[in-house]
PDB file of all heavy atoms in Angstrom:
ATOM      1  N   GLY A1558      84.637 100.125 118.139  1.00 85.00           N
ATOM      2  CA  GLY A1558      85.520  99.156 117.488  1.00 85.00           C
ATOM      3  C   GLY A1558      84.780  97.882 117.122  1.00 85.00           C
ATOM      4  O   GLY A1558      84.987  97.311 116.051  1.00 85.00           O
ATOM      5  N   CYS A1559      83.889  97.437 118.003  1.00 85.00           N
ATOM      6  CA  CYS A1559      83.080  96.244 117.699  1.00 85.00           C
ATOM      7  C   CYS A1559      82.154  96.499 116.518  1.00 85.00           C
ATOM      8  O   CYS A1559      81.995  95.648 115.642  1.00 85.00           O
ATOM      9  CB  CYS A1559      82.283  95.819 118.923  1.00 85.00           C
ATOM     10  SG  CYS A1559      83.294  95.143 120.235  1.00 85.00           S
ATOM     11  N   PHE A1560      81.514  97.693 116.476  1.00 90.00           N
ATOM     12  CA  PHE A1560      80.661  98.025 115.339  1.00 90.00           C
ATOM     13  C   PHE A1560      81.470  98.087 114.045  1.00 90.00           C
ATOM     14  O   PHE A1560      81.041  97.589 113.011  1.00 90.00           O
ATOM     15  CB  PHE A1560      79.956  99.367 115.566  1.00 90.00           C
ATOM     16  CG  PHE A1560      78.757  99.276 116.448  1.00 90.00           C
ATOM     17  CD1 PHE A1560      78.698 100.007 117.619  1.00 90.00           C
ATOM     18  CD2 PHE A1560      77.687  98.462 116.120  1.00 90.00           C
ATOM     19  CE1 PHE A1560      77.599  99.928 118.444  1.00 90.00           C
ATOM     20  CE2 PHE A1560      76.574  98.375 116.941  1.00 90.00           C
ATOM     21  CZ  PHE A1560      76.530  99.110 118.108  1.00 90.00           C
ATOM     22  N   ALA A1561      82.649  98.695 114.106  1.00 92.00           N
ATOM     23  CA  ALA A1561      83.495  98.787 112.910  1.00 92.00           C
ATOM     24  C   ALA A1561      83.917  97.403 112.429  1.00 92.00           C
ATOM     25  O   ALA A1561      83.932  97.141 111.225  1.00 92.00           O
ATOM     26  CB  ALA A1561      84.727  99.652 113.207  1.00 92.00           C
ATOM     27  N   ALA A1562      84.238  96.509 113.356  1.00 87.00           N
ATOM     28  CA  ALA A1562      84.612  95.144 112.973  1.00 87.00           C
ATOM     29  C   ALA A1562      83.443  94.417 112.320  1.00 87.00           C
ATOM     30  O   ALA A1562      83.613  93.691 111.337  1.00 87.00           O
ATOM     31  CB  ALA A1562      85.108  94.369 114.195  1.00 87.00           C
ATOM     32  N   THR A1563      82.234  94.616 112.842  1.00 91.00           N
ATOM     33  CA  THR A1563      81.052  93.996 112.254  1.00 91.00           C
ATOM     34  C   THR A1563      80.803  94.511 110.848  1.00 91.00           C
ATOM     35  O   THR A1563      80.513  93.737 109.931  1.00 91.00           O
ATOM     36  CB  THR A1563      79.816  94.258 113.148  1.00 91.00           C
ATOM     37  OG1 THR A1563      80.074  93.726 114.443  1.00 91.00           O
ATOM     38  CG2 THR A1563      78.575  93.627 112.566  1.00 91.00           C
ATOM     39  N   ILE A1564      80.923  95.811 110.663  1.00 94.00           N
ATOM     40  CA  ILE A1564      80.731  96.396 109.334  1.00 94.00           C
ATOM     41  C   ILE A1564      81.787  95.875 108.376  1.00 94.00           C
ATOM     42  O   ILE A1564      81.473  95.491 107.225  1.00 94.00           O
ATOM     43  CB  ILE A1564      80.756  97.944 109.420  1.00 94.00           C
ATOM     44  CG1 ILE A1564      79.524  98.443 110.156  1.00 94.00           C
ATOM     45  CG2 ILE A1564      80.858  98.574 108.033  1.00 94.00           C
ATOM     46  CD1 ILE A1564      79.589  99.906 110.559  1.00 94.00           C
ATOM     47  N   LEU A1565      83.041  95.825 108.806  1.00 91.00           N
ATOM     48  CA  LEU A1565      84.116  95.318 107.959  1.00 91.00           C
ATOM     49  C   LEU A1565      83.892  93.854 107.592  1.00 91.00           C
ATOM     50  O   LEU A1565      84.060  93.466 106.431  1.00 91.00           O
ATOM     51  CB  LEU A1565      85.464  95.491 108.657  1.00 91.00           C
ATOM     52  CG  LEU A1565      86.703  95.075 107.871  1.00 91.00           C
ATOM     53  CD1 LEU A1565      86.838  95.911 106.606  1.00 91.00           C
ATOM     54  CD2 LEU A1565      87.933  95.208 108.728  1.00 91.00           C
ATOM     55  N   ASN A1566      83.477  93.041 108.558  1.00 87.00           N
ATOM     56  CA  ASN A1566      83.181  91.635 108.261  1.00 87.00           C
ATOM     57  C   ASN A1566      82.052  91.500 107.255  1.00 87.00           C
ATOM     58  O   ASN A1566      82.103  90.660 106.348  1.00 87.00           O
ATOM     59  CB  ASN A1566      82.828  90.870 109.541  1.00 87.00           C
ATOM     60  CG  ASN A1566      84.035  90.533 110.354  1.00 87.00           C
ATOM     61  OD1 ASN A1566      85.140  90.452 109.836  1.00 87.00           O
ATOM     62  ND2 ASN A1566      83.835  90.323 111.640  1.00 87.00           N
ATOM     63  N   SER A1567      81.013  92.319 107.395  1.00 90.00           N
ATOM     64  CA  SER A1567      79.889  92.269 106.453  1.00 90.00           C
ATOM     65  C   SER A1567      80.326  92.663 105.043  1.00 90.00           C
ATOM     66  O   SER A1567      79.907  92.044 104.065  1.00 90.00           O
ATOM     67  CB  SER A1567      78.762  93.180 106.926  1.00 90.00           C
ATOM     68  OG  SER A1567      78.250  92.736 108.144  1.00 90.00           O
ATOM     69  N   ILE A1568      81.168  93.670 104.958  1.00 92.00           N
ATOM     70  CA  ILE A1568      81.659  94.106 103.646  1.00 92.00           C
ATOM     71  C   ILE A1568      82.504  93.018 102.997  1.00 92.00           C
ATOM     72  O   ILE A1568      82.322  92.681 101.822  1.00 92.00           O
ATOM     73  CB  ILE A1568      82.463  95.427 103.772  1.00 92.00           C
ATOM     74  CG1 ILE A1568      81.521  96.571 104.127  1.00 92.00           C
ATOM     75  CG2 ILE A1568      83.224  95.732 102.481  1.00 92.00           C
ATOM     76  CD1 ILE A1568      82.240  97.856 104.521  1.00 92.00           C
ATOM     77  N   VAL A1569      83.432  92.445 103.757  1.00 87.00           N
ATOM     78  CA  VAL A1569      84.290  91.384 103.214  1.00 87.00           C
ATOM     79  C   VAL A1569      83.457  90.184 102.795  1.00 87.00           C
ATOM     80  O   VAL A1569      83.666  89.604 101.721  1.00 87.00           O
ATOM     81  CB  VAL A1569      85.374  90.979 104.247  1.00 87.00           C
ATOM     82  CG1 VAL A1569      86.083  89.708 103.832  1.00 87.00           C
ATOM     83  CG2 VAL A1569      86.369  92.110 104.433  1.00 87.00           C
ATOM     84  N   LYS A1570      82.473  89.818 103.606  1.00 85.00           N
ATOM     85  CA  LYS A1570      81.617  88.677 103.277  1.00 85.00           C
ATOM     86  C   LYS A1570      80.819  88.936 102.012  1.00 85.00           C
ATOM     87  O   LYS A1570      80.679  88.054 101.168  1.00 85.00           O
ATOM     88  CB  LYS A1570      80.683  88.379 104.449  1.00 85.00           C
ATOM     89  CG  LYS A1570      79.828  87.162 104.238  1.00 85.00           C
ATOM     90  CD  LYS A1570      78.979  86.894 105.459  1.00 85.00           C
ATOM     91  CE  LYS A1570      78.091  85.699 105.241  1.00 85.00           C
ATOM     92  NZ  LYS A1570      77.222  85.455 106.384  1.00 85.00           N
ATOM     93  N   SER A1571      80.291  90.146 101.849  1.00 88.00           N
ATOM     94  CA  SER A1571      79.490  90.439 100.665  1.00 88.00           C
ATOM     95  C   SER A1571      80.344  90.526  99.400  1.00 88.00           C
ATOM     96  O   SER A1571      79.892  90.178  98.319  1.00 88.00           O
ATOM     97  CB  SER A1571      78.683  91.721 100.850  1.00 88.00           C
ATOM     98  OG  SER A1571      79.540  92.843 100.898  1.00 88.00           O
ATOM     99  N   VAL A1572      81.584  90.961  99.539  1.00 87.00           N
ATOM    100  CA  VAL A1572      82.457  91.084  98.372  1.00 87.00           C
ATOM    101  C   VAL A1572      83.065  89.739  97.978  1.00 87.00           C
ATOM    102  O   VAL A1572      83.171  89.420  96.800  1.00 87.00           O
ATOM    103  CB  VAL A1572      83.572  92.130  98.653  1.00 87.00           C
ATOM    104  CG1 VAL A1572      84.632  92.101  97.575  1.00 87.00           C
ATOM    105  CG2 VAL A1572      82.973  93.514  98.776  1.00 87.00           C
ATOM    106  N   THR A1573      83.446  88.934  98.957  1.00 81.00           N
ATOM    107  CA  THR A1573      84.170  87.705  98.649  1.00 81.00           C
ATOM    108  C   THR A1573      83.289  86.474  98.546  1.00 81.00           C
ATOM    109  O   THR A1573      83.731  85.447  98.049  1.00 81.00           O
ATOM    110  CB  THR A1573      85.246  87.423  99.715  1.00 81.00           C
ATOM    111  OG1 THR A1573      84.619  87.272 100.991  1.00 81.00           O
ATOM    112  CG2 THR A1573      86.268  88.536  99.753  1.00 81.00           C
TER     113      THR A1573
END
Side-chain angles (χ1 to χ4, degrees):
C1559 290
F1560 280 121
T1563 301
I1564 291 168
L1565 183 62
N1566 283 336
S1567 296
I1568 291 170
V1569 168
K1570 184 177 178 182
S1571 68
V1572 170
T1573 61

